[in-house]
Structures are given as structure tokens and as C-alpha cells.
Amino acid sequence: MNSFPYPSMRGRFDLRFYFVVGPDDCGNRPILDVVAKALDGGASFIQLRAKTQDVAEIVSLANDIAEEIAGHHVEDSVAFVIDDRVDAALEARAKGIKVDGVHIGQDDLDPVVARKLLGPDAIIGLSAKTVDEVREANHLPKGTIDYIGAGPLHMTATKPDSMIVDENGDITTLDASSIDEMRTMSKYPLIVGGGVKADDIPMLAKTKADGWFVVSAIAGAPDPEQATRRLVDDWTAIRGDEKPRYAERKPAATKLPAVLTIATTDSSGGAGIPADLKTMLANGVFGECVVAGITAQNTTGVQAIAAVDHDIVGAQIDSVFDDIRPTAVKIGVIVGVESVKTVAHKLRDHQATNIVVDPVMVATSGSSLAADDTIAEEISSLFPIATVITPNIPEAQVLARMPIGNQADMETAAVQLAKDYGICVLVKGGHGVKDADDVLAFPTGAVTWFEGERIANDNTHGTGCTLSSAIASYLAQGEDLEDAVRDAKAYLSGALRANLDLGKGHGPMNHAWAMH
């Protein structure tokens, strides 16, 4: 949903010819004159850099630049962002000024927070100097950023903090090889800048970079229009009118995958099927459900639980797969041995893929949700067809038949379970004393650790349901398991960090935290 009085340019902007400019970059010339000449020369993207100004001054400048862009009748094709200052971008957008988003650096506001504040229609760019920083950007939750600005290409006086320091402590810069490595690694379009001059453009155009960004090459030129036109012409002479790949994307709705949750209800809405469906919606997939049990439940506990006839459970699964076939399946609490058998049989028959099993035994409130015979049947029937199971520490202790008191024990249990059942196992550390790190073990014995932030929030109702549903959502979108876990953890952390406060016990989270 677009929250501002102008169409979103997200996903359709052209960042090949990117001009960064601020009031200190133009010498004695008015910034608007320089922006006007850059637009006349073919600049396709404008970034206002005014970190030393206060919000009111930045908003005033933004208004003038937005009007200049509109005066050139290119407001639908030239995107306009503010450097770093999310507060100024919010203020400008609230006033109806056409600011399309922000560009933030590694030491600026967390891009996840920026996305939450600015909403889904804003453009967000992120700076990166190294392959490692690009890799970290890839691990941000899906949809957090839209492009990467890489640099520097040369030593530059305008951004002394952007220098790259190698492992020997030497200062270095990007070259064609490192640019190609970064672009190959990146999930996002990548532009290159930092001291870029006109003579650099032919080299850049022969790399895998999606465009250039400059400051002084335009703002400091005797004729900014002529300088911009040369930069544009030298690039297009080699690359033609090729635009970054996102420009050719089909609308997301045409590719919206479906994910099925097979679980119980939660009348308070914080866990079970309600939490699963909210999570799926928030993470970009179409949620479907099979009701495999009914609970009377709130934040203080589970007051009653009832089974759904196993034939009805099976009929629901058939109905879903016969029409809107899910790309992934999340399995939570199933009430009754026969229903567990039915679920396993039906999923095998329909050749279901990307099955995430959350072996829920006890609710956050401490209430029991599964009988011993049901748990035993789940282990024998559902574990063999699972892509991954997601026990927390108490559940992993039961499954692995060992105490878990530290991270070494977590890893031992995960590796043991992965080998025993021939599946991937994610042991969640949320019940740990010191941290919220999780460990993923593969049947080969390989392990991956995921760092997690322990957030001071007692409202954790439905965390297990939420994480497993988010993992299924990202698997359905084609991510590998490690990336799916990483993105799911980031989403869960955001939901906890939102500090929703409802109910008398362990309250629910705000599943829509990133959508506001």
C-alpha cells in the first residue's frame, strides 16, 4: 500500500546515471542550477546529501529539488532520495514532497528499521565497500533494500570514511575485478562511485556494475550539463540502453507462491494458524490452512483442546492441493494420532515439498499441546518427510534424550538428530540463558550458526509458530534453507522488537511490524 500522495517508483527507477549533490558540493553556484543542468544532461537519479543541515533545512532543500525535477517533467522517471536522514525523508513525505526514499551507509540507521519507518513503497539504497558487506546485505530480510552503492573507485576527499582498509591495514580501492565479484555476489543492482571521473566510465561500463554515481564529476565541472551528458554518453556507447535487471521484473502478484499451514487454531490470535497466516502475509506469500485441532487459548494458557476428525483433515489437504497447490508446508500442532498419520499419508501422495515441521510439545504459557503417542507418531511419520524440523531447547532435549545447557550441547543435539532422522534440524536458542543464537545441522554433520539478538520482551506468544512459518515462506520463494532461516530470524526479531503489549500473560507479537 502506498501511504503517500504520489505513485511509488520502487522497482521501476533507473539508477544508471546517479548524481549525489549537496549544498557544499557546488562551489558558489546554487544547488538548484546544478541539479537542473544535471537533469538536462541525462541524470536519472538524484541524491541529496546534506548531513550537517537540520531537518527543516533538509526538507526545504528537498522541496526545491523535487520541484525542479517536476519542472523538468521527469518526476515519473527520475527518482529522488535523501542521504541517510530518514527523519528528514519522513517529514518531507508527510508534507507531500516527492522524496522517493533514502540511501544509508553502513554506520547509519539499520536498514530494517528504515524500511519499517518508511514503508513498502519507499526506495532504500545501502552503501557497501567489500564483498563481505554485500553478503551481509543479501542476508537482510527480503524487501529491505533495493540497490547497493559500492565504492570507492578512487581516493576521494568527499567521503574519507569510505576508504577500504585491507587485512594488512593498507588503504585500497575498488577495481574491475572487485566490482565484478561484488556484483556477482549481490542480489541487488549495484552502482559504483567514489572519485569517479569521466575517464573511468568506459572501464566501469565493461564491468558488471549497473551504473555509476558521482559528486564532483558533475557538481564541480565548469558545465554540469555537458559533464553529465559525457558520462551518460560514454556509458551508453558501451552498454546501450540496458537497464538494471529489476526493471524487467513482472509484478510480484503474478509469482505469489502459496504456503500451507497444518496446525491448530488459537482463539487469541497469537499462535497457531492465526500467527502462521499473519506471518505468511507479512513475508510475501499466500497463506492457506488446514485446521488439525481447535483450542480455547489465550496469553495465560490453553483452556481446552479438541481434535478435528482425521477424515476432515485429509479432505482439507486434498482440497488445497487440488486447487492452489502450496510450494511449502508448515506443520504445527496436530491433535490425535490418526490425524498425524493422515497428514503424513496425504503429503506423500501429493508429493509436497519444503516441509517445515515445528515439533510443538508445550505452549509458551507452559500448557501441554500434544500427547506422548501423538508425539511418537509425529516422529515416525512426519520427520522422514520433513525438509527441516525446528525444536526449541526443551523440545530438543526430549528428542535427543540429553540435557542442553550451552551452545556446545545445542550443536551436539542438532547434529545427532540430523543424523538420526536424515533431515535438517534447527535447534532454537530462544530458551537459552545468554543469547538467542540458533544452530542448523545437516544430515552430513555440517552445521551453521545464526546469531540472534536477545530482545527484552516477555511477550513471546507464538514465536515458534512465527519462525517456522517465516522459514516456509522464504523456502517457497526459492531461498535455500540457510538464507530462509536467516531472513526468518530477522523478521521474528522485528516482530519482538515492536513491543506489542496485549493480554495478561505472555502476549502476542506484532506480525505486521514491517508493513506499517
Side-chain angles (χ1 to χ4, degrees):
M1 181 178 68
N2 186 1
S3 304
F4 299 91
Y6 45 80
S8 171
M9 290 192 68
R10 190 179 182 202
R12 61 184 182 88
F13 56 89
D14 182 356
L15 48 59
R16 292 175 298 165
F17 316 128
Y18 192 118
F19 178 37
V20 182
V21 64
D24 300 328
D25 301 318
C26 303
N28 295 323
R29 290 175 296 192
I31 185 173
L32 290 183
D33 289 352
V34 175
V35 170
K37 291 183 181 299
L39 292 170
D40 289 338
S44 63
F45 202 115
I46 304 294
Q47 176 182 321
L48 171 61
R49 182 179 64 177
K51 288 190 176 183
T52 60
Q53 278 71 26
D54 63 25
V55 170
E57 292 170 325
I58 296 173
V59 170
S60 178
L61 271 173
N63 183 65
D64 292 342
I65 292 174
E67 289 184 352
E68 190 67 46
I69 293 171
H72 280 70
H73 307 292
V74 291
E75 67 270 23
D76 292 331
S77 58
V78 174
F80 173 40
V81 301
I82 293 175
D83 182 45
D84 174 34
R85 296 296 296 272
V86 175
D87 53 352
L90 280 168
E91 179 71 15
R93 286 161 67 89
K95 291 179 178 294
I97 300 169
K98 190 178 181 297
V99 173
D100 298 295
V102 296
H103 183 93
I104 52 183
Q106 290 289 325
D107 297 324
D108 297 329
L109 185 68
D110 183 338
V112 173
V113 177
R115 172 60 66 198
K116 178 181 178 182
L117 291 170
L118 289 168
D121 63 313
I123 298 169
I124 296 180
L126 179 66
S127 296
K129 296 181 291 185
T130 64
V131 171
D132 285 343
E133 289 181 350
V134 171
R135 185 179 292 110
E136 290 173 4
N138 287 344
H139 292 157
L140 290 168
K142 187 178 179 67
T144 299
I145 65 171
D146 299 293
Y147 69 93
I148 288 175
L153 187 67
H154 300 296
M155 303 296 183
T156 170
T158 61
K159 291 280 285 183
D161 58 340
S162 68
M163 295 297 102
I164 304 169
V165 180
D166 66 20
E167 58 186 12
N168 297 318
D170 297 326
I171 294 177
T172 184
T173 56
L174 298 181
D175 57 19
S177 176
S178 56
I179 291 167
D180 285 346
E181 184 180 8
M182 292 173 77
R183 183 61 187 91
T184 299
M185 170 67 67
S186 177
K187 290 181 179 180
Y188 306 98
L190 182 144
I191 56 175
V192 177
V196 168
K197 305 175 182 64
D199 292 343
D200 296 315
I201 299 301
M203 181 277 289
L204 285 177
K206 293 174 183 176
T207 70
K208 296 179 181 180
D210 294 291
W212 47 257
F213 66 89
V214 301
V215 183
S216 300
I218 294 176
D223 186 337
E225 179 180 348
Q226 184 181 31
T228 306
R229 184 169 288 115
R230 178 184 173 185
L231 295 168
V232 171
D233 289 347
D234 286 355
W235 178 274
T236 54
I238 295 171
R239 296 283 282 266
D241 198 35
E242 172 196 355
K243 294 182 179 179
R245 61 188 181 188
Y246 62 79
E248 304 300 323
R249 292 185 306 182
K250 295 181 180 178
T254 65
K255 297 182 178 180
L256 192 66
V259 178
L260 171 64
T261 171
I262 304 174
T264 63
T265 65
D266 173 2
S267 41
S268 71
I273 288 173
D276 295 339
L277 294 177
K278 293 172 188 176
T279 299
M280 292 168 187
L281 176 64
N283 286 282
V285 297
F286 182 81
E288 304 178 276
C289 67
V290 166
V291 179
I294 300 171
T295 70
Q297 183 178 171
N298 57 31
T299 64
T300 66
V302 178
Q303 290 77 46
I305 186 167
V308 173
D309 184 85
H310 66 90
D311 287 333
I312 297 297
V313 172
Q316 291 178 80
I317 295 173
D318 288 338
S319 182
V320 168
F321 275 89
D322 289 346
D323 187 12
I324 305 176
R325 181 181 175 86
T327 308
V329 179
K330 175 269 173 86
I331 300 176
V333 175
I334 300 172
V335 184
V337 171
E338 291 305 314
S339 286
V340 174
K341 291 179 179 178
T342 298
V343 169
H345 172 70
K346 291 292 185 180
L347 293 181
R348 287 183 185 276
D349 279 356
H350 289 289
Q351 298 181 329
T353 57
N354 294 320
I355 300 173
V356 180
V357 177
D358 187 22
V360 184
M361 299 175 188
V362 178
T364 301
S365 62
S367 302
S368 177
L369 289 169
D372 290 346
D373 56 348
T374 302
I375 295 170
E377 186 61 43
E378 184 171 318
I379 292 170
S380 63
S381 298
L382 294 180
F383 282 19
I385 63 172
T387 302
V388 61
I389 63 172
T390 61
N392 57 32
I393 287 177
E395 291 158 352
Q397 288 181 140
V398 173
L399 294 171
R401 297 183 178 88
M402 62 171 284
I404 298 177
N406 52 46
Q407 287 194 339
D409 292 340
M410 286 176 62
E411 184 169 315
T412 298
V415 170
Q416 176 189 315
L417 291 171
K419 289 182 177 179
D420 287 349
Y421 298 110
I423 56 176
C424 296
V425 177
L426 179 72
V427 175
K428 301 174 294 189
H431 287 73
V433 175
K434 294 182 179 180
D435 53 52
D437 294 352
D438 300 345
V439 60
L440 176 65
F442 295 84
T444 60
V447 298
T448 300
W449 277 93
F450 301 88
E451 291 185 2
E453 175 187 359
R454 179 162 294 283
I455 298 166
N457 186 352
D458 291 331
N459 294 315
T460 56
H461 185 53
T463 49
C465 304
T466 298
L467 182 68
S468 55
S469 294
I471 292 171
S473 297
Y474 286 114
L475 289 175
Q477 295 174 74
E479 293 193 2
D480 63 31
L481 182 56
E482 288 176 285
D483 282 345
V485 171
R486 191 172 286 108
D487 285 349
K489 279 182 66 65
Y491 167 74
L492 177 60
S493 293
L496 287 167
R497 197 180 292 112
N499 283 315
L500 184 65
D501 187 15
L502 297 174
K504 299 175 182 177
H506 292 285
M509 298 166 293
N510 183 358
H511 292 89
W513 67 272
M515 302 171 68
H516 294 313

